[in-house]
Amino acid sequence: MSTATFVLAATSSEVLNVIAAFAGGLFIAGALVFAVVFGMRVRDRELPRPRPEDQPHLPLTGPIHEIREMREPDEVPVPADKRERLMPYQLHASGTRRGKDQVRKRWLPGSSGSFGSGGIGHT
C-alpha cells in the first residue's frame, strides 16, 4: 500500500465520521422539533385552564381553623356467629368518638425512649 492510498483512506474515514455526526445531529434536531410540535397539538386539544374567578374563595365567615380533640376508639361489634365476616354496614359511621379526657398526653423525660425501648432516649 502506498502512502497516497493510506492518506486517501484516512481522509475518507474522517469525512465519513463528520458526515455521520452531522446526520446524527440533524436526526436529533428533527426529533426535538417533532416533539415540540406534537406537544403543542396535544396542549391545544386539552380543556382550557381555569380562570382566576373559577378558583375557590374563602367563606364569608373567614378561614376555617383546625380543631384538635382527643379521640377514643369505638369497640368493634362482634357478629352473632363468630365465624361470619363483619360487613361494612355493621360498623358505625365513625370509627372513633370524642374522648372524655381532652388533656393531651405528653412525653415525660426518663420514661420509655423511642419505640418503647425503655431507654433514656439518647446514647
Side-chain angles (χ1 to χ4, degrees):
M1 209 179 186
S2 69
T3 308
T5 308
F6 180 73
V7 170
L8 183 62
T11 307
S12 66
S13 166
E14 291 174 4
V15 169
L16 287 176
N17 286 341
V18 169
I19 291 173
F22 183 73
L26 279 178
F27 176 76
I28 291 173
L32 289 173
V33 168
F34 173 77
V36 168
V37 170
F38 182 73
M40 290 170 62
R41 286 183 185 165
V42 168
R43 188 171 179 182
D44 289 341
R45 283 184 277 166
E46 290 178 350
L47 293 175
R49 303 283 188 263
R51 299 181 314 251
E53 54 269 6
D54 295 337
Q55 300 296 325
H57 300 286
L58 280 176
L60 295 175
T61 57
I64 299 170
H65 297 287
E66 177 180 317
I67 298 174
R68 288 186 183 215
E69 60 182 21
M70 304 304 291
R71 307 289 289 176
E72 292 180 0
D74 277 342
E75 295 295 324
V76 176
V78 179
D81 183 8
K82 292 186 180 186
R83 292 175 295 176
E84 290 184 27
R85 264 186 350 165
L86 192 62
M87 301 305 287
Y89 59 82
Q90 294 172 311
L91 297 174
H92 301 290
S94 163
T96 61
R97 63 179 184 270
R98 190 172 193 274
K100 293 177 185 123
D101 181 18
Q102 289 296 309
V103 177
R104 185 173 170 206
K105 309 228 178 343
R106 298 287 189 171
W107 175 77
L108 299 172
S111 65
S112 69
S114 63
F115 305 107
S117 65
I120 58 175
H122 58 81
T123 56

